[in-house]
Amino acid sequence: MDGRTIVPATLLLVIACGDSTPAEDLTDDLADDADTGTSEGTDEVESESESDTGPIAESLAHEIDISLVEINQGIATPIVVAGEWIGPNDRNAQIVGNRDSLLRAYWTITPEFEPREILARLTLEPPGEDPVIREQPLVIDQESFAGDLSRSFTFDILAADMRSGTNFSISLWEVDPAFAALPAPELPPISPRDGSIAPIGIQPELLTIKVVLVPLVANWPNCSTEVPIDEVLGRFHDSLLMKNPTQTVELAVREQPVVVDAAPVSFWTLLPAIQQARVDDGAEPNVYYYGIVDACTYELAGFGGMAWNIVSDEKTADFERVAVGLYLANDLEWTTDTFVHEVGHLQGLFHVECPGKDAAGPDASYPYEDGVIGVWGFGIRDFELRSPTAAHDFMSYCYDGNWTSDWTWSKTFNRVRTLTSWDAEDGGGPSQPQGTLLIGMLGDQGGEQWWTIPGEIPATNLARDRVHVRAFAGDEVREPNATWHRPPEGDATIVTVELPGAAMPDRIETFAGPPAVWQPRAIDRD
Ligand SMILES: [Zn+2]
């Protein structure tokens, strides 16, 4: 048993996601920004208007154009560039329905532009409903800048209004009657330029990420701790939500903790218990299990966490959706970043390379140098911007300015969409795996654990990590499916064998692939 005690789960406590209140905060926050940006000019112009003899006809703004319109739900996604609408298939990333969003419009001005107040008019046309017009006045005295919310026209769109099929148009208008009286501008500052009302291009799919946190109780000499889970729940929820293209994050806490009563030398000794908890709970295939432990240390064998694998999007990979990480009482941000990073591996993400950090197996197709995120990021819960050249992708080891790139966003969108779609399938619920898996966890510094669970090896794993083995059980010799892989972090190797028949093999020999002879001794966990 290696000093581990496993207590079966009886109940899961689900915490509220609390999506509505922060959204209202977003509205207030942005309203404050808009007030600040326009306080100098609005009243003055109104009093001038009132003193005029008659109403001035409306006029589009002069010597200014809309250079770019984008939606930001976490990362910037341009939808109009220089007047030309960008269709969903030509974008850097997907726009999620029913998620709080910013619509930002940037301007460019000619040398002749005189600083003054300009009005942006946004038309939103929900499917089958009358258009809603929103206006935002702004004093413009310099070029716009993506790194400052007050230097773009910035409209918040709450989740309920981000519906698939919603169309938009945005245009700039004169506020000062003297400018409104000028001849119409040659280049109408309207996006899209042709004056059409174009689709925002909002994805229609349901998108949910489900995670069960498994508290680990440390109970060995010189370390007796329990993780104060309430301290991290809100952070975990908001960080996962902000960095992932999802509508909701369902974060639950396993009521029964896992008690660890021998000091772990590495995370690989903890990971089996998290997987066993997942099996014992009969978790649905799309649920991630994350163990969290205060191990009275800043690292175990040089790492802060460990995910089972770079996990595929197959239901049969359910048993791999497990990870474990440290809780650091004096660094909850690091604790949270580690959680999002390890879940990222379970979402199929490889590492992203960044300077001075040696993350194993970085993804060579990552498009930006030094692991930076490449586009402006924005947090829909903390309302902060992230620089495209200073913030780093959360799959890198550069935790400074830890955020998501549009590249990672696009990948995780597909993953969240696939896993969420399983909820709607007939016979949803726990999978009924055929067969039995024999799993071996082999530490680089010695030590190993073997155990069995119901399951089969996912096809992706067989294609990627197949190892040819012979399993000897008495007189019987078989060649079962087997894989051999390294977890993305950590100092261990994981062997997975589809058990041929009911008999536990006496030994397993590889005959193609890594040379080894294993003598598994499956652990009876009951
Ligand atoms: Zn990693």
Side-chain angles (χ1 to χ4, degrees), residues 25 46 60 66 85 104 147 155 170 207 265 285 310 339-340 505:
D25 294 345
E46 280 173 3
L60 287 162
I66 302 169
W85 180 68
R104 304 186 71 190
F155 293 90
I170 186 166
L207 301 162
V265 295
I310 312 288
F339 164 70
V340 175

Side-chain angles (χ1 to χ4, degrees), residues 130-469:
D130 292 335
V132 175
I133 294 172
R134 295 172 60 182
E135 293 185 332
Q136 185 175 114
L138 201 59
V139 173
I140 292 181
D141 55 6
Q142 59 185 332
E143 291 285 4
S144 63
F145 172 53
D148 183 344
L149 289 174
S150 70
R151 284 174 66 181
S152 65
F153 291 102
T154 303
F155 293 90
D156 61 287
I157 307 176
L158 296 184
D161 295 323
M162 287 296 286
R163 281 181 276 166
S164 183
T166 298
N167 295 321
F168 80 102
S169 172
I170 186 166
S171 49
L172 303 184
W173 299 82
E174 295 289 359
V175 174
D176 187 329
F179 287 90
L182 295 172
E186 282 180 29
L187 187 69
I190 305 175
S191 285
R193 184 79 71 204
D194 61 8
S196 63
I197 185 154
I200 295 178
I202 301 169
Q203 298 287 145
E205 298 90 350
L206 289 174
L207 301 162
T208 300
I209 301 174
K210 301 179 188 177
V211 185
V212 171
L213 297 179
V214 182
L216 272 64
V217 175
N219 183 31
W220 58 82
N222 302 318
C223 185
S224 178
T225 63
E226 288 184 33
V227 175
I229 211 86
D230 288 344
E231 275 187 25
V232 298
L233 270 185
R235 284 173 175 267
F236 278 20
H237 173 272
D238 286 358
S239 190
L240 203 59
L241 177 72
M242 287 194 291
K243 295 174 186 177
N244 272 270
T246 189
Q247 290 146 355
T248 52
V249 167
E250 291 182 16
L251 199 55
V253 180
R254 193 172 196 260
E255 189 173 80
Q256 291 292 339
V258 170
V259 178
V260 184
D261 51 23
V265 295
S266 162
F267 285 106
W268 73 259
T269 63
L270 301 176
L271 212 41
I274 310 304
Q275 182 179 78
Q276 191 62 47
R278 198 186 185 292
V279 171
D280 291 345
D281 292 352
E284 293 180 21
N286 56 10
V287 179
Y288 301 102
Y289 267 57
Y290 186 79
I292 182 166
V293 61
D294 178 351
C296 307
T297 175
Y298 291 97
E299 45 84 26
L300 286 175
F303 295 95
M306 187 179 188
W308 187 269
N309 200 354
I310 312 288
V311 181
S312 81
D313 62 356
E314 294 165 86
K315 279 189 187 173
T316 48
D318 54 355
F319 69 95
E320 295 196 302
R321 293 192 176 94
V322 292
V324 60
L326 286 184
Y327 165 86
L328 299 187
N330 61 357
D331 199 341
L332 295 183
E333 188 168 331
W334 180 92
T335 301
T336 306
D337 289 347
T338 300
F339 164 70
V340 175
H341 177 99
E342 301 302 348
V343 171
H345 286 311
L346 304 185
Q347 293 175 300
L349 297 171
F350 289 82
H351 281 134
V352 165
E353 198 163 14
C354 79
K357 309 285 184 177
D358 219 8
D363 195 322
S365 58
Y366 190 77
Y368 306 116
E369 294 263 324
D370 297 339
V372 299
I373 60 173
V375 300
W376 281 97
F378 174 73
I380 62 168
R381 286 295 174 270
D382 66 14
F383 317 132
E384 286 181 15
L385 288 166
R386 272 81 183 179
S387 161
T389 54
H392 294 87
D393 191 272
F394 67 79
M395 291 315 295
S396 78
Y397 280 175
C398 290
Y399 278 11
D400 182 28
N402 188 279
W403 200 247
T404 176
S405 62
D406 54 349
W407 185 85
T408 292
W409 178 280
S410 197
K411 281 186 175 303
T412 48
F413 176 87
N414 291 327
R415 179 56 57 98
V416 178
R417 175 170 61 180
T418 299
L419 266 62
T420 306
S421 74
W422 298 346
D423 286 337
E425 291 176 6
D426 288 342
S431 59
Q432 304 290 328
Q434 306 291 313
T436 300
L437 291 176
L438 171 65
I439 299 176
M441 185 75 89
L442 314 171
D444 292 356
Q445 307 304 320
E448 60 189 75
Q449 292 185 31
W450 292 88
W451 67 96
T452 59
I453 57 168
E456 57 191 280
I457 298 179
T460 308
N461 298 29
L462 269 184
R464 187 175 65 192
D465 300 322
R466 182 168 201 138
V467 58
H468 293 274
V469 302

